[in-house]
Amino acid sequence: MRIAIGQLWQETNTFNPLPTTRADFEQFGVLRGPDLVERMADTNEPGGFIQSLRSWPEKPEIVGLVRLPAWPSGAATHETFLWLRQEMIEALSRALPVDAVLLALHGAMVAEGAPDVEGEVLHAVRQLIGPAIPLVATLDLHANVTRKMVESADALVLFHTAPHIDVFETGQRGAAVLRRILIDGVRPVAAFQKLPMVVPAERANTQEPASVSHGFRLRLQEMEANSHILAAGLATVQPWLDIPELGSAVVIVADDAEMARSACSQFAAGVWERRRDYLPQLVPVAEAVRQAHGITDGLVVLSDSADSTTSGAPGDSTHVLRELLKYDWPRPALVTLVAPEAVQEARRRGVGAEMTTALGGVRDRRFSQPITMTGQVAGLFDARFVLSGHLARNLPIDMGPSAVLRHGNVCVVVTSRTGPHFAPELFRAAGFDPFAASVLVAKSPCGFRAAYQQRAKQILLVKAPGCAPSDFWTYDYRNIPRPLWPWDEIAPWQPNPECSPAMAH
Ligand SMILES: [Zn+2]
């Protein structure tokens, strides 16, 4: 028995003006064939696939297709989309015949001329393998699930958690669903309901009992405990996608059409009912920094969600930095910035040198402006570490040559490339104990809580302009479907799930 596995991972933010290119994928680390199976065996969804498949008594042969990952950023160029699809299809063509395909996808990737990249890839895979070969895909909780995805795959298996701490486990769940189809002979039916709503990520913390998402996660997991339901997922979508099919979705995969439809309908109605509970309380940036300065013992985490590099923002907003520079801080005030030019200058000058440089406001010029800072080159380092927690388990990250620029106790951690600009591992690589800082700016709306919720004295959600704002509906969207909440008030609304027929296995 031969089972092919592959991965395409990028989350797109269409407000980010920086296009994602083939070079971004190659830099992050494309893996082909046996290298994929060897190098991904203990990390993220492919690791979950691999370890599960290896535990099957049938001992299937695991055939590595290709892993195509890039960090969240702007829409991919059209050539990049064509290349990605071709890479996956050519790898699969070479691997045939296979008995099944397992793909780890994000689900919110957009390219120029292709607003549903994963739908296109799944469709191309289905065309190649035909209806008889099972195809199971995993998706991020922020996927923009489309009809094309649902119709192309036998089953879509979504993360249940935000912060995303079940990435590896979602891979295991995907393999378990495949097993039900391939070994047990189950013929799955998917009920799919698009909801005319998009919600901010800040309060969607599935691990916090007070959050609306917590109850939804428990309910989804309870559904999956029913042997008739293979996968139950809620995708609350990445909001910063100006595309025609934008919207949240519920996908229930079961062995019985009526059960799938009724579970999907009921769950979707419940989510719609609670949509207002997702709206967060934001603190204007100047006020948030002022409040942080008033807290002298313990760590204050400022979530600059509008510049979240985990949400595909460029990571060079200066709004919070500008405010931090107005105060004296008793301990380090840590803020990150993607600024390769500043890193190069710091490296030329060397550790200990004073430098005056323009920082930020370059990768995105619409929402923030550069600021001139005089400071000392306090450190040079390579931002290379292994990420575990939100988004990853044992995932190698390399954000390139980096530097620390210091003005008083304001320490700007400047990296050459974007990446997890919230991770404790990044601050440690820069020489800091993040939990001993006065303030730490996390460029993440919710995922950062996996690391900081228990240890921060205070967490404040900052309201500042940027490419990944929490109040996204006040920004200019031109292509989204209307009416869509919270752009529009819609009442009443009733779910009416579509059921995709079972594939002819
Ligand atoms: Zn996500």
Side-chain angles (χ1 to χ4, degrees):
M1 186 186 300
R2 282 162 62 79
I3 297 178
I5 66 167
Q7 183 175 33
L8 169 60
W9 183 76
Q10 200 255 359
E11 182 176 57
T12 297
N13 178 318
T14 62
F15 287 98
N16 183 336
L18 300 166
T20 296
T21 65
R22 176 174 174 169
D24 294 315
F25 285 88
E26 284 172 343
Q27 192 288 316
F28 200 92
V30 174
L31 294 172
R32 295 183 177 85
D35 280 353
L36 187 168
V37 181
E38 191 185 317
R39 304 260 302 272
M40 299 300 289
D42 193 30
T43 181
N44 284 19
E45 304 95 318
F49 294 162
I50 293 163
Q51 293 195 21
S52 293
L53 294 172
R54 283 181 177 161
S55 74
W56 289 12
E58 296 82 4
K59 295 281 174 232
E61 181 189 353
I62 304 172
V63 184
L65 299 176
V66 61
R67 174 191 188 227
L68 299 158
W71 195 259
S73 188
T77 62
H78 196 69
E79 306 81 78
T80 304
F81 160 63
L82 295 176
W83 169 70
L84 292 167
R85 188 173 59 178
Q86 184 183 334
E87 278 279 345
M88 193 61 81
I89 292 306
E90 282 184 357
L92 182 55
S93 303
R94 284 193 298 273
L96 293 176
V98 296
D99 296 285
V101 180
L102 266 172
L103 294 181
L105 307 174
H106 184 285
M109 184 174 177
V110 172
E112 197 188 316
D116 176 16
V117 170
E118 286 91 340
E120 297 290 344
V121 168
L122 284 169
H123 178 70
V125 167
R126 175 59 75 194
Q127 284 200 311
L128 182 59
I129 59 177
I133 303 294
L135 166 59
V136 173
T138 57
L139 297 174
D140 191 282
L141 181 144
H142 299 105
N144 186 51
V145 184
T146 63
R147 180 180 296 157
K148 196 164 214 161
M149 293 180 195
V150 177
E151 287 177 352
S152 302
D154 289 87
L156 299 174
V157 180
L158 282 88
F159 294 173
H160 280 155
T161 65
H164 303 324
I165 52 172
D166 66 338
V167 179
F168 181 87
E169 289 74 10
T170 303
Q172 292 178 310
R173 286 165 51 225
V177 169
L178 178 66
R179 186 178 171 80
R180 296 286 306 280
I181 302 169
L182 194 62
I183 308 291
D184 301 345
V186 169
R187 295 189 64 203
V189 181
F192 168 54
Q193 178 66 58
K194 204 78 183 170
L195 290 93
M197 61 179 267
V198 177
V199 295
E202 279 81 353
R203 290 185 69 194
N205 183 350
T206 60
Q207 308 313 108
E208 164 58 53
S211 163
V212 56
S213 294
H214 183 259
F216 292 147
R217 171 178 66 84
L218 294 181
R219 179 69 195 120
L220 291 167
Q221 290 174 332
E222 196 179 285
M223 278 193 241
E224 279 190 12
N226 179 328
S227 64
H228 294 284
I229 295 185
L230 281 72
L234 165 65
T236 46
V237 83
Q238 154 94 330
W240 309 283
L241 294 173
D242 190 9
I243 54 170
E245 273 187 90
L246 181 67
S248 302
V250 176
V251 188
I252 309 290
V253 183
D255 63 5
D256 174 87
E258 208 27 62
M259 177 179 282
R261 185 195 295 276
S262 111
C264 182
S265 177
Q266 208 173 35
F267 192 79
V271 175
W272 173 254
E273 203 55 36
R274 301 288 305 275
R275 63 195 180 282
R276 286 173 216 285
D277 295 345
Y278 281 96
L279 298 177
Q281 287 292 322
L282 304 177
V283 185
V285 58
E287 172 60 17
V289 174
R290 194 191 63 74
Q291 281 187 28
H293 190 252
I295 298 168
T296 52
D297 57 328
L299 171 68
V300 179
V301 177
L302 301 175
S303 159
D304 183 9
S305 56
D307 195 34
S308 287
T309 46
T310 53
S311 308
D316 78 337
S317 163
T318 52
H319 289 284
V320 183
L321 174 59
R322 194 182 304 277
E323 294 302 319
L324 290 174
L325 287 169
K326 293 178 181 171
Y327 296 88
D328 284 328
W329 300 92
R331 298 180 308 286
L334 302 173
V335 58
T336 63
L337 210 61
V338 184
E341 306 79 11
V343 172
Q344 278 170 20
E345 193 182 337
R347 290 182 101 81
R348 267 199 309 276
R349 290 173 184 261
V351 173
E354 287 283 322
M355 66 185 251
T356 299
T357 190
L359 283 175
V362 173
R363 288 160 59 83
D364 166 54
R365 293 170 189 271
R366 281 175 307 167
F367 300 117
S368 94
Q369 303 295 315
I371 60 174
T372 302
M373 188 181 98
T374 299
Q376 189 189 43
V377 180
L380 298 171
F381 69 104
D382 284 321
R384 220 181 286 157
F385 51 87
V386 175
L387 182 68
S388 281
H390 170 56
L391 279 178
R393 166 171 158 177
N394 300 331
L395 185 71
I397 296 288
D398 181 0
M399 295 151 81
S402 301
V404 178
L405 304 179
R406 189 167 192 141
H407 175 100
N409 259 341
V410 176
C411 300
V412 190
V413 176
V414 191
T415 62
S416 296
R417 291 189 287 272
T418 183
H421 281 239
F422 70 90
E425 294 93 333
L426 168 62
F427 296 108
R428 287 197 191 105
F432 296 99
D433 173 0
F435 301 103
S438 283
V439 178
L440 181 151
V441 179
K443 297 196 171 180
S444 155
C446 180
F448 73 94
R449 289 181 186 271
Y452 301 103
Q453 178 87 43
Q454 302 302 323
R455 300 183 66 178
K457 177 101 181 182
Q458 176 76 274
I459 291 174
L460 297 167
L461 306 174
V462 172
K463 180 175 163 64
C467 289
S470 178
D471 55 345
F472 48 83
W473 62 94
T474 65
Y475 285 57
D476 185 26
Y477 286 68
R478 300 183 175 190
N479 302 303
I480 55 174
R482 304 293 286 266
L484 186 63
W485 189 85
W487 286 266
D488 307 298
E489 278 305 326
I490 308 168
W493 176 81
Q494 293 291 334
N496 182 22
E498 296 175 30
C499 260
S500 78
M503 298 286 171
H505 299 314

